Amino acid sequence: MEQGLRGGGSRPAEPGPCLSSQCGADQAASVSLLSAAGAEPGSRTLAVAAVLPAGGCGERMGVPTPKQFCPVLERPLISYTLQAMERACWIKDIIVVVTGENMEAMENIIKKYKHKRISLVEAGVTRHRSIFNGLKALADNQPNSRLSKPEVVIIHDAVRPFFEEDILLKVVTAAKEHGCSDYDLEFGTECLQLALKYCHIKAKLVEGSPDLWKVTYKRDLYAAESIIKERISQEICIVMDTKENKEHISHLLEEVLKTELNHIHVRSQALYNAGSDIQHIILEQCYNFVCVNVKEPDFQETQKLMSMLEESNFSILYSIVVVSVHFLDFKFASPSQKMESLMCIREFAKKMKKRKVLLYGLIINYSQDEQKLQESLRQGAIIIAALIKERNSALIGQLLVA
């Protein structure tokens, strides 16, 4: 049975997951490798496309929702796979093969998360037939098709979201040289078996990374969530207003964070000119902010940052964590007095949660005693790290004390 090509959501507007800053030098290096892959001097770059079978029902997972559409951190699993595939900007077309009943859901995912270079094809009754439908959509004799015929096609499971661009390059160059490649020779995938049986070509094994695993069971969703949390918690931006006399407070916190969280990249940004730099920070994959409030009213700096984030709409792919830090000398005022003046954070946090911005409050004891101050800062750093790593929506709007 012939299946039709759906291209309605194939070219969403910017911004998309393949960010412009990621496609500069990295893309040039990748294109250079593709040009050199078994090619004659002066020949053009290989034309590459990808087919992602996504027609499974998720029977082994034991949930009513097909696993490729199961939410991970409130975002469908397949969206992470598409994001990873889109990072390889040299892949011209990405075909997602999905059942007719899930076609609209897939189109909505493409639109919501602004995926690019995606076209949809209706799945067949078997996985082999679905892959065939995807390949047929890439043929050069399809009427009214916006797709061009590639020289190499990558077949990748829609429920394998963790892979890097370098493994795709290895597969493409091996395919150009040997005609077929696969990383799972030991167990024998159907793609490799079909190539060996019917194409009469020499297959090549390309070894993959340990995290190139497939989400099959429900427990795998929790593992995937843990991996994603770990990856997006590796960068923290401290936002401050360095025009204030108390700017040294911010720098003290920054130094303690760098010392205590030595596995995380910590940077700082002045709030008064952050508007021009926030986009650059996000493009470098930073989804975690610590906003130091040193001006009156106490919540003013955080409100400025939240307004910038809300206007930028940067939380499309991942929730953004903002920790609003406030300093109080417990010797002259109790934490409860400070908390009372900061209670507005709760309503503000509820509002921002709808925009996928998770707002937490943190009060640090600003003691005149150097040793006590360092201990409070250290405890604050531990709390900040936990909030960023866990991204717990149950704690948003809460005021924690270090």
Side-chain angles (χ1 to χ4, degrees), residues 227-255:
I227 291 173
I228 293 168
K229 283 182 177 180
E230 181 70 28
R231 289 187 175 185
I232 62 177
S233 64
Q234 297 304 303
E235 185 113 11
I236 298 175
C237 178
I238 302 177
V239 181
M240 64 191 84
D241 192 335
T242 55
K243 290 182 177 180
E244 291 299 304
N245 294 328
K246 295 182 180 180
E247 64 181 46
H248 68 281
I249 300 175
S250 304
H251 295 301
L252 282 174
L253 178 60
E254 180 180 356
E255 290 305 313

Side-chain angles (χ1 to χ4, degrees), residues 36 60 151 185 229 236 258 262 284 345 370 382 390 402:
R60 283 178 290 181
E151 296 170 81
L185 183 63
K229 283 182 177 180
I236 298 175
K258 288 180 178 179
N262 52 25
E284 293 186 355
I345 193 175
E370 183 67 24
I382 294 173
E390 295 303 321

Side-chain angles (χ1 to χ4, degrees), residues 125-178:
V125 294
T126 65
R127 175 182 169 84
H128 293 163
R129 173 60 67 171
S130 294
I131 293 174
F132 174 76
N133 289 348
L135 295 173
K136 189 169 66 170
L138 291 167
D140 59 355
N141 60 347
Q142 295 298 302
N144 304 319
S145 175
R146 292 177 293 176
L147 304 172
S148 57
K149 185 177 180 180
E151 296 170 81
V152 175
V153 180
I154 299 170
I155 309 295
H156 182 80
D157 287 320
V159 289
R160 294 185 193 267
F162 305 117
F163 59 92
E164 301 297 336
E165 183 177 354
D166 62 341
I167 190 64
L168 297 181
L169 277 171
K170 289 178 182 178
V171 169
V172 169
T173 53
K176 178 65 177 178
E177 180 180 354
H178 299 277

Side-chain angles (χ1 to χ4, degrees), residues 55-66:
C57 61
E59 181 179 353
R60 283 178 290 181
M61 186 165 286
V63 294
T65 303

Side-chain angles (χ1 to χ4, degrees), residues 260-400:
E260 295 294 325
L261 313 178
N262 52 25
H263 61 290
I264 295 177
H265 180 219
V266 179
R267 71 170 83 182
S268 60
Q269 173 64 53
L271 187 61
Y272 64 84
N273 65 354
S276 60
D277 296 327
I278 288 290
Q279 183 173 2
H280 177 72
I281 292 170
I282 291 290
L283 287 175
E284 293 186 355
Q285 304 299 295
C286 182
Y287 294 93
N288 311 292
F289 293 85
V290 175
C291 187
V292 180
N293 295 264
V294 294
K295 294 174 65 176
E296 295 295 339
D298 293 324
F299 204 52
Q300 182 175 332
E301 309 307 324
T302 299
Q303 288 176 322
K304 287 181 182 178
L305 173 62
M306 300 293 269
S307 296
M308 293 177 187
L309 294 174
E310 188 174 13
E311 291 174 5
S312 66
N313 198 29
F314 283 141
S315 56
I316 294 173
L317 298 179
Y318 301 103
S319 293
I320 295 174
V321 169
V322 176
V323 182
S324 181
V325 178
H326 309 264
F327 290 90
L328 174 67
D329 191 338
F330 292 175
K331 184 177 180 180
F332 299 103
S334 67
S336 60
Q337 291 176 318
K338 189 70 172 180
M339 287 180 180
E340 187 174 345
S341 66
L342 293 173
M343 290 303 290
C344 61
I345 193 175
R346 291 186 177 180
E347 291 304 316
F348 197 32
K350 290 179 182 178
K351 172 188 173 184
M352 295 306 297
K353 183 183 178 183
K354 298 177 182 178
R355 303 298 300 270
K356 293 182 65 178
V357 178
L358 308 180
L359 173 63
Y360 310 94
L362 175 62
I363 297 178
I364 295 179
N365 181 17
Y366 183 48
S367 175
Q368 299 301 313
D369 183 285
E370 183 67 24
Q371 186 175 353
K372 289 183 178 179
L373 175 59
Q374 286 296 321
E375 179 60 25
S376 295
L377 290 171
R378 191 182 72 82
Q379 290 295 329
I382 294 173
I383 293 173
I384 289 170
L387 291 172
I388 288 173
K389 177 67 180 296
E390 295 303 321
R391 313 182 95 80
N392 191 335
S393 59
L395 292 177
I396 64 168
Q398 299 298 310
L399 288 169
L400 306 175

Side-chain angles (χ1 to χ4, degrees), residues 21-181:
S21 66
Q22 297 172 320
C23 295
D26 289 344
Q27 182 184 18
S30 300
V31 169
S32 177
L33 286 172
L34 289 174
S35 299
E40 296 297 329
S43 62
R44 58 182 174 78
T45 303
L46 281 175
V48 182
V51 172
L52 276 61
C57 61
E59 181 179 353
R60 283 178 290 181
M61 186 165 286
V63 294
T65 303
K67 55 191 174 184
Q68 60 270 25
F69 300 116
C70 284
V72 178
L73 294 180
E74 302 181 2
R75 180 175 153 204
L77 178 65
I78 192 171
S79 178
Y80 292 98
T81 307
L82 292 179
Q83 180 191 7
M85 191 67 67
E86 286 171 314
R87 288 198 184 105
C89 302
W90 42 268
I91 296 179
K92 185 174 181 181
D93 294 297
I94 302 170
I95 306 295
V96 179
V97 188
V98 65
T99 61
E101 62 186 29
N102 290 320
M103 190 71 69
E104 183 178 356
M106 191 66 235
E107 289 174 342
N108 290 336
I109 289 171
I110 293 170
K111 181 178 180 181
K112 180 176 181 179
Y113 298 103
K114 300 188 182 299
H115 291 297
K116 301 184 297 183
R117 314 197 308 276
I118 312 296
S119 295
L120 302 183
V121 172
E122 192 166 342
V125 294
T126 65
R127 175 182 169 84
H128 293 163
R129 173 60 67 171
S130 294
I131 293 174
F132 174 76
N133 289 348
L135 295 173
K136 189 169 66 170
L138 291 167
D140 59 355
N141 60 347
Q142 295 298 302
N144 304 319
S145 175
R146 292 177 293 176
L147 304 172
S148 57
K149 185 177 180 180
E151 296 170 81
V152 175
V153 180
I154 299 170
I155 309 295
H156 182 80
D157 287 320
V159 289
R160 294 185 193 267
F162 305 117
F163 59 92
E164 301 297 336
E165 183 177 354
D166 62 341
I167 190 64
L168 297 181
L169 277 171
K170 289 178 182 178
V171 169
V172 169
T173 53
K176 178 65 177 178
E177 180 180 354
H178 299 277
C180 178
S181 64

